[in-house]
Amino acid sequence: MDRTGGSGGGSDRRQTEESKPLLGEMSAPEGNKMGAAPCRRALLHCNGMRYKLLQEGDIQVCVIRHPRTFLSKILTSKFLRRWEPHHLTLADNSVASATPTGYMENSISYSAIEDVQLLSWENAPKYCLQLTIPGGTVLLQAANSYLRDQWFHSLQWKKKIYKYKKVLSNPSRWEVVLKEIRTLVDMALTSPLQDDSIHQAPLEIVSKLLSENNNLTTQDHESIIVAIAPLLENNHPPPDLCEFFCKHCRERPRSMVVIEVFTPVVQRILKHNMDFGKCPRLRLFTQEYILALNELNAGMEVVKKFIHSMHGPTGQCPHPRVLPNLVAVCLAAIYSCYEEFINSRDNSPSLKEIRNGCQQQCDRKPNLPLRLLHTSPDLVSQEATLTESRLKPVIVTSNEIHVEVERNNTANQKMTANVGNDSEPNLIDCLMVSPTCSTMSIELSAQADRILGCYVEILKMLSDYDDWRPALASLLQPIPFPKEALAHEKFTKELKYVIQRFAEDPRQEVHSCLLSVRAGKDGWFQLYSPGGVACDDDGELFASMVHILMGSCYKTKKFLLSLAENKLGPCMLLALRGNQTMVEILCLMLEYNIIDNNDTQLQIISTLESTDVGKRMYEQLCDRQRELKELQRKGGPTRLTLPSKSTDADLARLLSSGSFGNLENLSLAFTNVTSACAEHLIKLPSLKQLNLWSTQFGDAGLRLLSEHLTMLQVLNLCETPVTDAGLLALSSMKSLCSLNMNSTKLSADTYEDLKAKLPNLKEVDVRYTEAW
């Protein structure tokens, strides 16, 4: 809107916004410095028009050098002498031309522009801007009134922002600075320009101001946050400002600013952020905000209400970005709990090694070569090879996490070589059938423990929403947590609730995420199965997962093959304890001929016949496949391996269910059997090889074995609680040719006595004993 000014020196004009002081104080109107000029001066009121902030554009330029007293006379001229077309760029500090020639040979600094006004002529209207500079005037002519107004507001904005940057870069009094910030915020909110940078630029100015001044009081912090709050309603805070907000959340979590100001900001971030990777401080701010909520009196109840507010009251969350952003915050927070250890360790144990360590729950020694009484070239060669491959223990310590890992790969190599091999193992292999020995104990600091508890609880909350569960299951596949977290008992125990929710969901897109994404990469199904790093319930969750997976549209045979290859032991143990799902699984394995090994088939049959439900289902299967009965009539298995964590009762139930007269090789390694099982072992007349590694088998059981199993040839007592009292009884077992007493309470005298009384003894392991 144009207004015509009077022709006399007393003409009254409104003051432009540019001429207002930064603090907003109103000054007296200036007199007309231009003399009698019949020009129209436009002051733009908010008329509803909106403009995009110009960064560059084409416009006509005319520069007039003159004393200001002649300006009005020149402006009333009907024709100006010369206009030049220029492509102008509105930079942060000045106005410059892409072709620095003519009028725009030199750029015009915003500090040199005294005034910006809108002008037009009465007789020949042209859409002009007047830039008042020292010693002259720059006229800019646009093609139409909209472009003219766009240039006007863009120049005004650039000039004001430049001034604020200068004024706030060197603050003197903070009460003045606070007024300046409020004026800056008001300017951004009332500007007719519509552009992301309009609200972002003031935030960046305040962000830089805060980053360069660290001596502010808490009251100053809160005053500044409240002042800029209106700009945060529709804009993400810049990185430095996020850092400032994080500091406030950490230092004053109970401040009302956290609830009243930060809540809408975090809600906007979670609803609209597309990638935390590009702005990680937004994620950190969200993380600190949630932790601040958890510090309130109601604690997790406040967090729960916040999560519910993000989901909404309906059954379907209307904001698709909320869940991925919340999960990203949770994953980053959980990772930070273990980050110090992850960054400080030199040699990381693999997840398989950690899993084995958690499975065994006892100190292990690296596998050393056996000490031989009667050496042979082959055995000497093996001893040299094993010695070269021996690994030293790795001990890593940090301020928050203490981990001791002792590793050796030799045993794993031995086991891998024997998988699927029906031939009889050599004597050294019989003594070294354990998985890699390792231990891991993780202790978090109090602060890390609080963070872990808060964000695992949030994952539980997310899993309770039906519409979020499919996406959550997908986001947690493959397993996104560090292996240190998976080896931490508290973490896996708390996270078990989430996995249970997946296992209970009948939708395939949910429970299919329990499986690994590819071969060799463990999934939740593997971690929470018996023997897995996270299993603490003897397989109840594992049975639930198998039940839901078998009921889906998966290829049954393929799934059974996977179970037979990787989880046959846990399946048999649960079936032995009467779990109906596992009984059905074993029957299907027999029906589909999944198992090729006759001994394994016979062990499955014996397992089925040990319970009423298994016996009934097996009889129904035999009615359909008579060859199974024929297989059983040929006698029992020659080799048998009891699943890990089996007990004396499990062994008794299995051995009482069928015929084991042909059993020659029995492995009870890493089970929970005790000396009480000896009364069942002595009923195996053909037994030649017995592995009791890492069991609670003691002296009483050893004495009973020595009285009845006189034909035993290989005995592994590694890491059992036997003492000299029981070991001396072995002198009556004249057939023994291989004996492992590693990590027992063997004395040197008893060792010498056994060597003298066991003439066939060729291989002996006495490491980590007094006799070593």
Side-chain angles (χ1 to χ4, degrees), residues 22-70:
L22 291 176
L23 295 181
E25 297 92 354
M26 295 300 295
S27 58
E30 296 181 299
N32 192 342
K33 298 181 181 180
M34 312 208 186
C39 64
R40 267 190 263 163
R41 182 162 302 185
L43 266 240
L44 285 156
H45 305 289
C46 187
N47 56 4
M49 295 292 288
R50 292 292 181 264
Y51 309 92
K52 181 175 176 59
L53 177 65
L54 279 175
Q55 301 293 343
E56 57 182 336
D58 296 320
I59 199 168
Q60 299 288 326
V61 180
C62 180
V63 178
I64 303 172
R65 304 290 179 183
H66 61 87
R68 293 190 183 183
T69 55
F70 299 121

Side-chain angles (χ1 to χ4, degrees), residues 270 276 283 286-287 290 324-334 455:
L270 292 174
F276 276 131
R283 187 200 66 222
T286 306
Q287 178 180 327
I290 294 175
N325 286 333
L326 279 173
V327 173
V329 171
C330 290
L331 295 182
I334 292 171
Y455 283 98

Side-chain angles (χ1 to χ4, degrees), residues 454-479:
C454 175
Y455 283 98
V456 173
E457 196 66 31
I458 291 176
L459 288 176
K460 292 181 183 180
M461 297 176 192
L462 299 180
S463 68
D464 285 333
Y465 291 94
D466 289 340
D467 61 314
W468 274 353
R469 203 174 299 129
L472 177 62
S474 178
L475 290 169
L476 296 185
Q477 185 198 40
I479 297 174

Side-chain angles (χ1 to χ4, degrees), residues 262-516:
F262 289 167
T263 297
V265 179
V266 173
Q267 287 176 335
R268 187 182 188 280
I269 291 172
L270 292 174
K271 290 177 182 178
H272 300 289
N273 178 68
M274 297 302 294
D275 185 6
F276 276 131
K278 295 180 180 178
C279 40
R281 292 193 185 179
L282 285 179
R283 187 200 66 222
L284 184 61
F285 168 48
T286 306
Q287 178 180 327
E288 294 292 345
Y289 165 79
I290 294 175
L291 289 174
L293 293 185
N294 192 38
E295 292 295 324
L296 299 177
N297 290 336
M300 286 308 299
E301 284 300 317
V302 181
V303 177
K304 186 175 182 179
K305 290 179 181 178
F306 174 74
I307 297 298
H308 183 71
S309 71
M310 296 308 305
H311 179 274
T314 62
Q316 191 75 23
C317 178
H319 304 287
R321 290 300 309 166
V322 169
L323 178 66
N325 286 333
L326 279 173
V327 173
V329 171
C330 290
L331 295 182
I334 292 171
Y335 184 90
S336 69
C337 297
Y338 304 93
E339 190 171 14
E340 182 177 353
F341 166 69
I342 295 171
N343 292 337
S344 65
R345 55 186 162 86
D346 296 325
N347 194 358
S348 167
S350 68
L351 178 56
K352 185 174 182 180
E353 291 168 326
I354 295 176
R355 179 175 68 242
N356 289 337
C358 291
Q359 175 183 343
Q360 308 312 331
Q361 297 294 328
C362 61
D363 294 333
R364 301 294 185 200
K365 311 297 187 299
N367 287 315
L368 299 178
L370 300 179
R371 178 176 297 178
L372 306 179
L373 295 179
H374 305 288
T375 59
S376 66
D378 293 337
L379 294 176
V380 171
S381 175
Q382 286 186 352
E383 180 175 3
T385 303
L386 292 173
T387 303
E388 293 174 358
S389 64
R390 177 180 177 182
L391 299 178
K392 296 182 179 180
V394 179
I395 300 177
V396 183
T397 305
S398 68
N399 293 333
E400 297 183 359
I401 302 175
H402 309 282
V403 178
E404 181 176 342
V405 181
E406 297 183 332
R407 304 185 295 156
N408 187 278
N409 292 329
T410 306
N412 266 351
Q413 296 169 0
K414 294 282 184 181
M415 288 179 60
T416 305
N418 289 328
V419 172
N421 188 356
D422 289 339
S423 61
E424 289 294 323
N426 60 51
L427 297 179
I428 293 182
D429 291 343
C430 289
L431 298 178
M432 303 178 66
V433 297
S434 168
T436 299
C437 302
S438 60
T439 64
M440 171 162 277
S441 175
I442 295 181
E443 295 180 7
L444 299 181
S445 67
Q447 176 63 15
D449 197 60
R450 284 194 297 271
I451 295 174
L452 181 67
C454 175
Y455 283 98
V456 173
E457 196 66 31
I458 291 176
L459 288 176
K460 292 181 183 180
M461 297 176 192
L462 299 180
S463 68
D464 285 333
Y465 291 94
D466 289 340
D467 61 314
W468 274 353
R469 203 174 299 129
L472 177 62
S474 178
L475 290 169
L476 296 185
Q477 185 198 40
I479 297 174
F481 302 105
K483 54 197 172 194
E484 288 76 15
L486 300 177
H488 190 196
E489 183 180 359
K490 178 180 179 180
F491 173 73
T492 54
K493 186 175 182 179
E494 293 295 324
L495 194 66
K496 181 180 176 181
Y497 178 85
V498 178
I499 308 306
Q500 283 177 325
R501 298 293 285 163
F502 294 165
E504 295 167 358
D505 198 301
R507 292 170 290 184
Q508 182 183 347
E509 63 267 29
V510 178
H511 59 249
S512 63
C513 294
L514 295 170
L515 297 172
S516 57

Side-chain angles (χ1 to χ4, degrees), residues 431-624:
L431 298 178
M432 303 178 66
V433 297
S434 168
T436 299
C437 302
S438 60
T439 64
M440 171 162 277
S441 175
I442 295 181
E443 295 180 7
L444 299 181
S445 67
Q447 176 63 15
D449 197 60
R450 284 194 297 271
I451 295 174
L452 181 67
C454 175
Y455 283 98
V456 173
E457 196 66 31
I458 291 176
L459 288 176
K460 292 181 183 180
M461 297 176 192
L462 299 180
S463 68
D464 285 333
Y465 291 94
D466 289 340
D467 61 314
W468 274 353
R469 203 174 299 129
L472 177 62
S474 178
L475 290 169
L476 296 185
Q477 185 198 40
I479 297 174
F481 302 105
K483 54 197 172 194
E484 288 76 15
L486 300 177
H488 190 196
E489 183 180 359
K490 178 180 179 180
F491 173 73
T492 54
K493 186 175 182 179
E494 293 295 324
L495 194 66
K496 181 180 176 181
Y497 178 85
V498 178
I499 308 306
Q500 283 177 325
R501 298 293 285 163
F502 294 165
E504 295 167 358
D505 198 301
R507 292 170 290 184
Q508 182 183 347
E509 63 267 29
V510 178
H511 59 249
S512 63
C513 294
L514 295 170
L515 297 172
S516 57
V517 292
R518 62 180 182 272
K521 181 74 172 178
D522 281 353
W524 298 114
F525 181 76
Q526 286 77 21
L527 259 67
Y528 281 92
S529 63
V533 62
C535 182
D536 63 351
D537 58 2
D538 290 333
E540 292 180 11
L541 177 57
F542 173 70
S544 299
M545 291 190 288
V546 171
H547 178 76
I548 194 71
L549 290 170
M550 283 298 296
S552 67
C553 61
Y554 285 106
K555 295 180 180 178
T556 303
K557 190 168 184 178
K558 182 178 179 181
F559 184 59
L560 290 173
L561 282 169
S562 175
L563 286 178
E565 181 179 354
N566 302 303
K567 296 299 174 184
L568 183 58
C571 289
M572 286 196 291
L573 177 59
L574 291 172
L576 195 61
R577 295 175 178 176
N579 185 281
Q580 185 168 348
T581 299
M582 293 305 164
V583 169
E584 294 174 1
I585 291 295
L586 295 184
C587 288
L588 287 173
M589 287 182 181
L590 294 176
E591 185 173 1
Y592 292 163
N593 293 320
I594 300 296
I595 307 297
D596 296 329
N597 186 281
N598 286 345
D599 287 332
T600 306
Q601 288 180 343
L602 291 171
Q603 183 174 348
I604 290 176
I605 293 173
S606 300
T607 301
L608 291 173
E609 292 187 332
S610 63
T611 62
D612 293 337
V613 62
K615 187 180 298 184
R616 183 176 66 255
M617 295 186 69
Y618 176 64
E619 290 175 354
Q620 295 173 357
L621 178 61
C622 288
D623 292 339
R624 300 192 299 270

